[in-house]
């Protein structure tokens, strides 16, 4: 009798352990995301993404799924794009992922675009989200033409002509942009739009305000989930 009872209890405990193990595995899988790489803009830094990281964390992202690329904003965007290429490979090696999602702001759009189109980065990027990206340049760059980055960011520059030629949204990467008439820095504000992307017109948001705009950042997070 005791032996039968012991066998029964052992079977019950084993079954419970299997259920708990399955539940834990399912939770772990559900919480796994493609790593996201944030790319700041002119005069920016990795710290620009503090609010975005909080929004993504609220959506289930862990700290080892979020990365902020830091670069010298005054240097050529080509140099910054080469640095981004190396950074993405480091993220892939660290996480074991085969692709990343890129979220950029302002001049970070040019850095990301050059990486994807000119440096062979497209296969490694699942989603590209450009927030107020200077994708077709901005006349605001006339105020900082002492820097190579701003020279390249001015509309009509050879950099802009190269990066916008042909297909602006190549490959299987999913592209989306967010732009607003109230931007004030991206001039014209429609410069952010990319042909072939899902272009989202935000009713009224200024250029720096996007960095703490939880509504837009949540929309970006939702886009990455598609």
């Amino acid at each position: 009798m005791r032996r039968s009872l012991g066998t029964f209890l052992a079977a019950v405990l084993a079954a419970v352990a299997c259920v708990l193990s399955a539940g834990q595995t399912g939770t772990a899988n559900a919480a796994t995301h493609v790593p996201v790489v944030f790319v700041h803009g002119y005069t920016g830094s990795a710290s620009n993404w503090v609010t975005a990281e909080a929004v993504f964390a609220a959506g289930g992202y862990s700290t080892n799924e979020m990365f902020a690329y830091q670069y010298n904003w005054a240097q050529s965007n080509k140099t910054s794009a080469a640095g981004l290429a190396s950074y993405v490979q480091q993220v892939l090696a660290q996480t074991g992922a085969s692709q990343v999602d890129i979220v950029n702001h302002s001049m970070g759009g040019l850095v990301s675009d050059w990486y994807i189109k000119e440096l062979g980065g497209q296969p490694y990027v699942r989603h590209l989200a450009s927030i107020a990206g200077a994708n077709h340049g901005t006349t605001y760059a006339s105020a900082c033409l002492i820097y190579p980055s701003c020279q390249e960011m001015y509309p009509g520059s050879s950099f802009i002509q190269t990066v916008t030629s042909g297909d602006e949204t190549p490959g299987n990467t999913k592209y989306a942009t967010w732009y607003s008439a109230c931007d004030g820095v991206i001039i014209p504000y429609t410069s952010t739009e990319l042909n072939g992307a899902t272009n989202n017109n935000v009713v009224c948001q200024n250029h720096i305000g996007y960095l703490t705009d939880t509504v837009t950042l949540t929309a970006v997070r939702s886009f990455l989930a598609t």
Side-chain angles (χ1 to χ4, degrees):
M1 180 69 176
R2 289 179 179 176
R3 180 178 298 175
S4 297
L5 181 59
T7 301
F8 174 74
L9 289 174
V12 170
L13 290 173
V16 170
C18 287
V19 170
L20 289 175
S21 176
Q24 290 171 351
T25 300
T27 300
N29 290 337
T32 301
H33 302 85
V34 170
V36 58
V37 174
F38 296 104
V39 184
H40 67 79
Y42 177 72
T43 72
S45 68
S47 64
N48 287 165
W49 300 106
V50 171
T51 300
E53 289 168 345
V55 168
F56 275 62
Y61 280 76
S62 63
T63 54
N64 60 2
E65 294 173 327
M66 297 182 289
F67 302 85
Y69 172 53
Q70 175 96 27
Y71 64 95
N72 176 4
W73 50 262
Q75 69 188 359
S76 169
N77 291 300
K78 297 177 184 179
T79 303
S80 299
L84 176 59
S86 297
Y87 189 77
V88 167
Q89 291 305 311
Q90 292 171 22
V91 170
L92 296 179
Q94 179 177 330
T95 62
S98 59
Q99 290 183 304
V100 300
D101 290 333
I102 289 181
V103 178
N104 65 57
H105 176 250
S106 191
M107 194 174 71
L110 296 182
V111 175
S112 304
D113 294 343
W114 193 271
Y115 162 59
I116 289 173
K117 290 193 63 178
E118 304 302 320
L119 301 182
Q122 184 279 315
Y124 302 108
V125 182
R126 191 180 67 128
H127 292 80
L128 174 75
S130 187
I131 306 172
N135 298 316
H136 291 87
T138 171
T139 58
Y140 194 88
S142 63
C144 56
L145 292 177
I146 59 172
Y147 300 118
S149 59
C150 288
Q151 294 169 18
E152 295 167 347
M153 189 163 50
Y154 195 81
S157 70
S158 60
F159 182 99
I160 295 294
Q161 291 177 24
T162 299
V163 82
T164 58
S165 64
D167 189 357
E168 294 186 352
T169 52
N172 296 324
T173 301
K174 292 185 178 180
Y175 299 82
T177 73
W178 283 260
Y179 65 102
S180 174
C182 299
D183 187 292
V185 172
I186 302 301
I187 304 170
Y189 70 94
T190 53
S191 174
T192 295
E193 294 180 284
L194 289 170
N195 292 329
T198 299
N199 297 299
N200 302 280
N201 191 343
V202 179
V203 175
C204 194
Q205 181 56 273
N206 66 59
H207 194 67
I208 300 302
Y210 277 113
L211 297 174
T212 54
D213 180 355
T214 57
V215 173
T216 296
L217 293 171
T218 299
V220 170
R221 189 188 72 200
S222 297
F223 165 66
L224 300 190
T226 62

